Amino acid sequence: MITVTKKDLIELGYGTSFSADIIRKAKKLMIEKGHTYYQSRKLDRVPKEAVEELLGITLSDTND
């Protein structure tokens, strides 16, 4: 599973607070889908698919 962090979103050009909001909303989405693992406050990674679903775009798979 490919994951996304706040830092990854900042590197894509999103602002700091907007990136944090995206991660927070993606975690909430994953919890709603039944993945209680994402309830952890310290967890800062979410699946790329959750972020893509929220933003309505496809993120590239390149890992440089």
Side-chain angles (χ1 to χ4, degrees):
M1 176 188 313
I2 298 174
T3 58
V4 177
T5 64
K6 176 182 159 184
K7 181 183 171 203
D8 296 332
L9 292 171
I10 291 171
E11 288 175 359
L12 289 174
Y14 293 100
T16 305
S17 61
F18 188 59
S19 296
D21 286 344
I22 293 169
I23 296 297
R24 191 176 311 112
K25 289 177 183 178
K27 285 176 66 172
K28 185 177 179 183
L29 177 67
M30 295 304 292
I31 292 166
E32 290 172 359
K33 289 184 176 185
H35 302 282
T36 56
Y37 171 74
Y38 292 96
Q39 289 176 331
S40 172
R41 291 178 149 258
K42 293 183 179 184
L43 183 67
D44 66 343
R45 290 185 172 274
V46 293
K48 181 182 86 158
E49 291 79 18
V51 174
E52 291 176 338
E53 185 176 334
L54 284 172
L55 297 177
I57 61 170
T58 303
L59 302 175
S60 65
D61 287 339
T62 57
N63 293 331
D64 294 332

